[in-house]
Amino acid sequence: MRSGSLSSFSQLDRRDFLKFCSATAALMGLSELYAPKIAEAVTAAAKRPSVVWLTLSCDSGCTEMFIKAKNPGPAELILDVLSVDFNDTIMAAAGEQAEENLKNAVDAGGFILVIEGGMPSKPGYGTIAGREMMDIAKWAAPKAAAVVAIGSCATNGGIPGAKPNPSGLKSVSEVLGPMGIKNVNLPGCPADPKLLIGVVMNYLLFKKLPELDDHGRPKMFYSKTIHEQCERRAYFEAGKFVEAFGTPEAEKGYCLFKMGCKGPATYAPCPTIRYNDDVNWCIMAGAPCIGCLDMKWPDNFHPFYAKLKGISVPGFGGDVTADNIGKVLGVATVAGIAVHAVGTAAKGSKKGPEKGGGE
Ligand code: SF4
Ligand code: SF4
């Protein structure tokens, strides 16, 4: 689909646009004062950044989330900011016309290449129009101004790349890295489009990609664990845990650690970005985090409902763990909930994803 047809239904009014700019500034960890600067950067751009979006080996969940996004969305809002010149899943064109559109967009160069899905390394396991997915990515990437891998399948294999990985699936970094092409990784199953918008806005505002960590993830989104940001953390530190679903403790919103929550080992912004029109997220809804935005998901995080190992709490002596912290704190717990929520960090929250994982 060409950009004209995608954007024709997309007309933001000024108020929505400024709301979008404020939300984006907050998402990027910038002050509200940056909202007018974001508006200026978007307006000043000679044309909307061109996006070529390849959907490779995956279930296209990231595209689904992209077109159903709200705040900063809905889809028409996003499409007012980006010029999506090619997307395998949502374009109207098919067959040879689609292939021609892709060729035209890639030949034009200077686009942001978004890759959703991994790439099978075994011949014949993943082809589009007779071409291996890996070859399509290798052909398009050198012409791109920037490459963004979106979703778990593209960043770390996700479900199709989980053990035993029957297609020999490779991530975007594994395929493009040896070509000297560095990409941004936005892991998530699916990844929220707000993360992509944040990367693009950073590019427009500061004329560069955001600072990345060792896994290629923007630090502005992935530098804190879920646990560090969790609204139930006071209960963790008070030793108040849900022991079974459907109990009064679950109803009271106690910590889900004993129900298998992987929040202490998962680096992700879910409590900030939230889902379902920004109203909720997994733990808020009473479900333990299964770590689906982490680079080592799913292999390092199953069984999903098994308790994380080795989480201890510093500042209370070497033997204090999530299991006995309630007893150690004893009667001080009641008065201490609010204090501990602010002042104490769980040692587990400093662990990298490689060291996390379920039992
Ligand atoms: S263990 Fe999970 S539910 Fe408990 S505080 Fe940490 S992230 Fe929140
Ligand atoms: S399972 Fe965890 S990482 Fe995945 S969306 Fe929920 S809170 Fe975020």
Side-chain angles (χ1 to χ4, degrees):
M1 181 179 292
R2 306 305 299 156
S3 54
S5 54
L6 266 175
S7 60
S8 57
F9 62 94
S10 161
Q11 290 300 320
L12 281 178
D13 68 30
R14 182 80 190 149
R15 205 175 51 143
D16 282 345
F17 180 62
L18 289 175
K19 221 168 105 188
F20 160 76
C21 294
S22 294
T24 305
L27 176 71
M28 293 166 71
L30 300 172
S31 113
E32 178 92 359
L33 298 174
Y34 269 89
K37 289 187 193 298
I38 291 175
E40 217 178 285
V42 173
T43 316
K47 58 185 179 101
R48 290 169 295 141
S50 166
V51 170
V52 171
W53 185 308
L54 299 176
T55 307
L56 304 179
S57 185
C58 63
D59 67 353
S60 57
C62 295
T63 289
E64 282 261 349
M65 196 154 179
F66 181 79
I67 59 175
K68 289 179 180 163
K70 292 194 174 175
N71 301 321
E76 54 268 42
L77 185 154
I78 291 173
L79 296 170
D80 248 356
V81 177
L82 302 177
S83 171
V84 182
D85 290 336
F86 182 88
N87 180 306
D88 302 77
T89 311
I90 58 175
M91 62 191 181
E96 286 177 8
Q97 182 62 54
E99 289 310 303
E100 196 184 322
N101 288 356
L102 175 60
K103 186 176 180 313
N104 290 341
V106 170
D107 284 349
F111 51 89
I112 296 170
L113 179 63
V114 176
I115 301 181
E116 173 188 14
M119 289 151 273
S121 59
K122 293 186 185 168
Y125 275 67
T127 61
I128 300 173
R131 292 167 82 191
E132 292 288 336
M133 290 174 172
M134 200 178 277
D135 292 339
I136 297 171
K138 284 180 175 174
W139 159 72
K143 302 255 183 75
V147 181
V148 180
I150 192 165
S152 297
C153 307
T155 57
N156 56 288
I159 289 182
K163 289 174 189 163
N165 192 4
S167 71
L169 197 91
K170 289 191 182 298
S171 70
V172 172
S173 303
E174 285 175 315
V175 172
L176 300 184
M179 295 171 69
I181 298 173
K182 199 175 171 187
N183 68 279
V184 177
N185 278 323
L186 298 177
C189 192
D192 194 293
K194 289 181 221 126
L195 304 173
L196 177 62
I197 292 291
V199 170
V200 174
M201 287 304 134
N202 196 92
Y203 190 69
L204 286 181
L205 198 56
F206 303 114
K207 312 292 178 224
K208 60 176 186 181
L209 290 171
E211 196 184 344
L212 306 177
D213 67 12
D214 291 346
H215 294 287
R217 300 171 295 189
K219 286 185 179 173
M220 62 185 176
F221 301 140
Y222 294 92
S223 61
K224 286 185 185 163
T225 62
I226 294 280
H227 182 78
E228 284 174 275
Q229 309 160 75
C230 182
E231 61 246 29
R232 298 192 184 207
R233 193 167 137 194
Y235 288 119
F236 173 92
E237 292 173 18
K240 289 182 178 290
F241 298 102
V242 176
E243 306 274 351
F245 291 120
T247 57
E249 290 73 25
E251 202 174 316
K252 284 176 190 163
Y254 283 7
C255 172
L256 293 160
F257 180 80
K258 292 187 178 179
M259 303 308 293
C261 182
K262 307 297 188 292
T266 300
Y267 286 79
C270 309
T272 313
I273 59 177
R274 294 190 179 180
Y275 304 103
N276 299 334
D277 297 354
D278 300 345
V279 299
N280 213 337
W281 66 289
C282 309
I283 289 173
M284 194 176 178
C289 169
I290 60 170
C292 77
L293 265 76
D294 197 89
M295 286 296 275
K296 292 293 175 183
W297 187 82
D299 283 343
N300 260 32
F301 290 97
H302 63 79
F304 292 151
Y305 294 101
K307 204 170 55 178
L308 272 173
K309 283 177 178 170
I311 301 298
S312 58
V313 184
F316 295 98
D319 297 329
V320 181
T321 66
D323 286 331
N324 67 12
I325 185 169
K327 285 184 198 144
V328 172
L329 294 178
V331 290
T333 291
V334 177
I337 286 179
V339 176
H340 294 308
V342 178
T344 309
K347 187 177 168 189
S349 70
K350 300 297 177 201
K351 287 191 169 189
E354 293 86 352
K355 290 177 187 161
E359 288 174 329

